[in-house]
């Protein structure tokens, strides 16, 4: 009882940390997709801000559904816009609210994971509070699940699916009648969010189907379950396809009626020719190895050998060991039972605990490993079966200290250090651009970013109608290209109210000094760790370590 009280208090503390760190906010920048798969697009559509629309959201190549961005970032931006329009908040729209409001919604949604673990733990023979502490203490939950990734939504939908397929009573009675319908909705929604959801859903769906087949003796009831699943899946797909078609084709019924005086049938025919099915476009793009190579190719074992360890540490390694033991035992049973002519053992249906959880963990991992482009965030939905497996009563965590140190390091690295200067830099520039001095006297700003992740322009809070701010993203440009661009801008530096800022990590600041220009102001934002341009260990041990772990905002000297 005492240990349970400690675990409950620890979970509450970690839950409070998750919420407060979101509001602080976290400065680490994990990947451009956390901005460019939802907040950036919605800021342009709803708040009319200058943004960069990624290719997936262009009408010429629609590969992402707009439904989830509208339901998350879109709703939060509509709220702050409405508050400002109603004069309930004079400056509701600023870089802080633009960053934090969508993250706050995702942080609230992240507690779906906690609820799922609490519901699932007794069913799968795990200790509920031990599993909750493992979940809440993981840096994956603290950092990744509070960010606006489609992978985050994928993990939440996977958790809901596991809850639905595990709703069977311990006495063995059949699943609840509503489960078939909800399972169809969740599976389809997950597929439209990310088609890779099918890799996560495969084993849970097979498990659910096997339970129905095993428990239903009446063929009518069996057919009824699957018909409900298919009907709700098709209805959900229709909603997504309709929403995406209207968004990407910019077609409205009013326009069609007013332009063509068409009947409803004519309107439907015209819409049919413009139907957008984003998952199919996503799959056709990603199944092309050449397209995947543009985003980076990795060895097929990267998920298994690197990303799993990077995200889950010792828990992933222990799961691998248990998986090999399970496989060895299963093969031995299979050979023994074949020898006795009794058929193969029922691994999936009759094993309620660890073996099935390991299948829920390793089967998606194996399917995702078939693709050459492998990023750690693709695996974050697997945290749920992993913590349930690791919290089994017969699986005492002997590595508590290692687990704690690993997650502290992960939270520090990805929550604070990784590209950690870019968001504070945008906050700083937004305040500068909207300062009273700039507002009273129109000034022109050129912001040149080099060797940083793609800057989300929405955080600068600039309306589309404003033309006095220009953002140039040089990405990882070489020295010659960078200097050529800087010199070209400097040569055109004629107006007295023009300001040119160069944003660059301290590790490559020396490159700019070779460009023949001088700077009148230097602002160092600390910390900032660029893994693409990592600091040198000898320099870190010197007195110049802050510069190496910082991001510079350099203002070009006009007089020079």
């Amino acid at each position: 009882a005492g240990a349970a009280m400690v675990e409950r208090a620890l979970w509450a503390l970690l839950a409070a940390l998750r919420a407060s760190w979101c509001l602080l906010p976290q400065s680490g920048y994990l990947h451009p997709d956390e901005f460019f798969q939802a907040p950036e697009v919605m800021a342009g559509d709803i708040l009319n801000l200058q943004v960069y629309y990624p290719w997936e959201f262009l009408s010429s190549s629609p590969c992402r559904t707009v439904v989830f961005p509208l339901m998350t970032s879109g709703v939060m931006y509509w709220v702050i816009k409405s508050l400002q329009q109603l004069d309930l908040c004079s400056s509701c729209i600023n870089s802080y609210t633009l960053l934090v409001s969508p993250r706050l919604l995702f942080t609230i949604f992240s507690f779906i994971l906690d609820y799922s673990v609490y519901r699932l733990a007794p069913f799968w023979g795990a200790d509920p509070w031990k599993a909750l502490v493992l979940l809440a203490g993981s840096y994956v939950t603290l950092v990744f699940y509070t960010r606006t990734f489609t992978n985050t939504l994928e993990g939440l939908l996977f958790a809901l699916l596991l809850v639905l397929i595990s709703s069977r009573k311990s006495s063995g009675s059949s699943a609840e009648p509503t489960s078939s319908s909800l399972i169809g909705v969740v599976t389809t929604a997950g597929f439209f969010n990310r088609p890779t959801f099918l890799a996560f859903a495969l084993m849970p769906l097979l498990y659910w189907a096997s339970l129905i087949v095993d428990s239903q003796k009446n063929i009518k009831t069996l057919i009824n379950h699957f018909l409900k699943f298919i009907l709700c899946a098709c209805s959900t797909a229709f909603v997504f396809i309709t929403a995406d078609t209207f968004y990407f084709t910019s077609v409205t019924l009013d326009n069609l009626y007013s332009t063509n005086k068409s009947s409803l049938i004519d309107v439907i025919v015209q819409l049919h020719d413009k139907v957008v099915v984003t998952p199919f476009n996503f799959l056709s793009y990603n199944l092309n190895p050449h397209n995947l190579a543009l985003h980076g190719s990795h060895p097929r074992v990267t998920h298994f050998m690197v990303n799993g360890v990077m995200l889950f540490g010792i828990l992933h390694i222990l799961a691998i060991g248990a998986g090999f033991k399970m496989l060895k035992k299963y093969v031995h049973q299979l050979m023994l039972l074949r020898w006795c002519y009794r058929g193969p053992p029922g691994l999936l249906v009759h094993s309620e605990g660890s073996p099935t959880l390991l299948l829920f963990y390793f089967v998606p991992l194996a399917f995702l490993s078939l693709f050459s482009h492998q990023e750690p965030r693709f695996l974050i939905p697997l945290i749920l079966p992993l913590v349930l497996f690791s919290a089994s009563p017969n699986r005492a965590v002997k590595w508590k200290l290692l687990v704690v140190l690993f997650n502290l390091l992960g939270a520090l690295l990805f929550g604070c250090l990784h590209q950690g200067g870019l968001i504070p830099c945008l906050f700083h520039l937004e305040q500068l651009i909207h300062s009273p001095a700039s507002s009273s006297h129109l000034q022109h700003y050129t912001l040149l970013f080099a060797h940083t992740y793609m800057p989300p322009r929405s955080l600068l809070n600039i309306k589309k109608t404003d033309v006095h701010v220009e953002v140039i993203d040089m990405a990882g440009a070489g020295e010659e290209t960078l200097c050529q661009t800087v010199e070209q801008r400097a040569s055109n530096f004629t107006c007295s109210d023009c300001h040119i800022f160069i944003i660059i990590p301290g590790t490559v600041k020396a490159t700019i000094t070779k460009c023949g220009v001088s700077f009148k102001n230097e602002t160092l934002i600390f910390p900032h760790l660029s893994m693409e341009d990592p600091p040198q260990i000898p320099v870190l041990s010197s007195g110049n370590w802050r510069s190496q772990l910082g991001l510079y905002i350099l203002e070009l000297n006009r007089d020079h």
Side-chain angles (χ1 to χ4, degrees):
M5 287 297 293
V6 171
E7 287 170 347
R8 292 182 186 193
L10 186 55
W11 173 82
L13 185 65
L14 291 167
L17 173 64
R18 193 190 317 174
S20 57
W21 201 12
C22 166
L23 296 171
L24 193 57
Q26 289 184 24
S27 60
Y29 184 170
L30 298 176
H31 190 278
D33 281 356
E34 69 175 284
F35 293 101
F36 293 93
Q37 285 183 355
E40 185 82 353
V41 177
M42 291 298 104
D45 289 347
I46 293 173
L47 301 178
N48 201 35
L49 298 180
Q50 284 188 27
V51 297
Y52 175 83
Y53 284 95
W55 64 271
E56 299 103 317
F57 283 93
L58 299 178
S59 57
S60 57
S61 55
C63 289
R64 300 280 181 192
T65 181
V66 75
V67 174
F68 283 111
L70 278 171
M71 291 171 61
T72 54
S73 300
V75 167
M76 297 306 289
Y77 287 160
W78 177 82
V79 169
I80 60 175
K81 179 182 179 180
S82 300
L83 289 173
Q84 184 157 304
Q85 287 177 339
L86 294 170
D87 289 330
L88 296 174
C89 176
S90 59
S91 57
C92 274
I93 302 174
N94 54 62
S95 56
Y96 176 81
T97 56
L98 289 168
L99 175 73
V100 171
S101 57
R103 284 188 180 181
L104 180 59
L105 186 63
F106 272 71
T107 301
I108 294 169
F109 284 165
S110 74
F111 286 95
I112 293 173
L113 281 181
D114 302 72
Y115 166 78
S116 301
V117 165
Y118 188 76
R119 280 283 308 272
L120 290 167
F123 185 87
W124 294 103
D127 183 318
W129 289 104
K130 184 178 173 183
L132 280 169
V133 169
L134 280 175
L135 174 75
S138 170
Y139 86 88
V140 173
T141 306
L142 289 168
V143 179
F144 283 86
Y145 274 94
T146 58
R147 304 298 181 91
T148 49
F149 284 117
T150 56
N151 309 91
T152 304
L153 292 171
E154 187 174 43
L156 299 177
L157 291 167
F158 181 50
L160 290 175
L161 182 61
L162 289 178
V163 169
L164 291 172
I165 63 109
S166 305
S167 61
R168 194 168 60 97
K169 296 177 182 178
S170 57
S171 60
S173 59
S174 61
E176 298 174 9
T178 55
S179 291
S180 302
S181 304
L182 292 175
I183 288 169
V185 171
V186 170
T187 303
T188 308
F191 176 66
F192 273 83
N193 175 58
R194 288 184 68 84
T196 53
F197 184 75
L198 294 184
F200 296 97
L202 176 63
M203 294 312 294
L205 289 178
L206 287 177
Y207 178 83
W208 168 71
S210 66
L211 288 179
I212 292 177
V213 172
D214 194 47
S215 62
Q216 298 293 340
K217 307 302 180 185
N218 188 337
I219 190 67
K220 282 187 177 181
T221 310
L222 186 66
I223 293 173
N224 185 43
H225 272 290
F226 290 113
L227 282 178
K228 281 183 179 179
F229 173 85
I230 293 169
L231 181 62
C232 288
C234 291
S235 301
T236 307
F238 177 78
V239 172
F240 277 88
I241 291 170
T242 303
D244 291 337
T245 299
F246 273 92
Y247 178 81
F248 286 109
T249 60
S250 301
V251 174
T252 65
L253 291 175
D254 289 340
N255 288 340
L256 288 171
Y257 272 122
S258 61
T259 304
N260 302 316
K261 306 296 183 184
S262 307
S263 67
L264 182 59
I265 294 175
D266 294 330
V267 170
I268 293 171
V269 170
Q270 291 180 58
L271 285 175
H272 178 268
D273 296 333
K274 300 174 182 289
V275 167
V276 175
V277 187
T278 53
F280 293 161
N281 297 337
F282 179 95
L283 288 170
S284 64
Y285 179 87
N286 284 281
L287 289 175
N288 186 332
H290 175 70
N291 292 336
L292 286 183
L294 298 174
H295 302 275
S297 294
H298 308 94
R300 293 296 194 274
V301 295
T302 302
H303 278 326
F304 190 78
M305 301 296 292
V306 179
N307 294 341
V309 178
M310 188 187 300
L311 289 175
F312 309 121
I314 191 67
L315 298 185
H316 176 74
I317 297 169
L318 293 174
I320 291 174
F324 278 118
K325 286 181 183 178
M326 182 197 78
L327 193 60
K328 182 180 176 182
K329 182 179 178 181
Y330 179 68
V331 170
H332 178 72
Q333 278 185 336
L334 182 63
M335 293 174 64
L336 185 64
L337 291 173
R338 273 189 75 182
W339 181 263
C340 298
Y341 300 100
R342 293 181 184 175
L347 177 67
L348 187 63
V349 179
H350 302 294
S351 297
E352 292 285 342
S354 297
T356 310
L357 287 173
L358 285 173
L359 287 174
F360 290 169
Y361 183 76
F362 283 112
V363 170
L365 195 151
F367 271 105
L368 293 174
S369 297
L370 297 175
F371 297 93
S372 60
H373 182 58
Q374 301 185 16
E375 295 181 30
R377 63 192 170 94
F378 296 168
L379 301 183
I380 65 172
L382 297 178
I383 190 172
L384 196 141
L386 184 61
V387 298
L388 289 173
F389 171 78
S390 303
S392 302
N394 60 343
R395 204 169 293 282
V397 180
K398 301 174 183 177
W399 309 86
K400 288 182 180 178
L401 181 61
L402 184 59
V403 170
V404 171
L405 291 175
F406 171 79
N407 286 298
L408 280 174
L409 181 63
L412 176 66
L413 176 61
F414 293 105
C416 298
L417 294 176
H418 189 256
Q419 293 284 326
L422 190 55
I423 302 303
C425 163
L426 291 168
F427 279 25
H428 174 81
L429 292 171
E430 190 252 359
Q431 290 179 353
L432 181 68
I433 293 168
H434 296 283
S435 64
S438 299
S439 303
S440 60
H441 188 65
L442 189 62
Q443 304 187 48
H444 187 276
Y445 294 90
T446 300
L447 312 176
L448 192 152
F449 293 83
H451 292 261
T452 68
Y453 275 5
M454 191 186 303
R457 291 147 173 82
S458 59
L459 296 186
L460 293 170
N461 190 22
I462 306 161
K463 292 292 183 182
K464 288 180 180 178
T465 52
D466 295 340
V467 293
H468 68 287
V469 180
E470 180 186 13
V471 177
I472 303 170
D473 182 13
M474 298 292 293
E479 182 180 328
E480 183 178 347
T481 305
L482 186 57
C483 284
Q484 185 178 359
T485 304
V486 171
E487 289 167 2
Q488 181 183 3
R489 293 287 162 175
S491 63
N492 296 329
F493 199 1
T494 53
C495 72
S496 59
D497 296 321
C498 293
H499 304 271
I500 298 177
F501 293 93
I502 299 171
I503 297 91
I504 194 165
T507 49
V508 287
K509 183 191 170 190
T511 304
I512 290 292
T513 61
K514 302 175 184 177
C515 295
V517 294
S518 64
F519 304 97
K520 64 177 181 179
N521 286 319
E522 288 188 5
T523 303
L524 175 64
I525 296 178
F526 176 88
H528 179 91
L529 175 63
S530 172
M531 300 304 291
E532 289 71 25
D533 301 287
Q536 299 175 355
I537 301 299
V539 180
L540 281 178
S541 60
S542 68
N544 198 31
W545 63 274
R546 278 182 63 88
S547 173
Q548 290 287 298
L549 287 174
L551 182 71
Y552 278 92
I553 304 174
L554 307 173
E555 185 176 3
L556 203 64
N557 188 350
R558 179 172 172 273
D559 296 333
H560 181 86

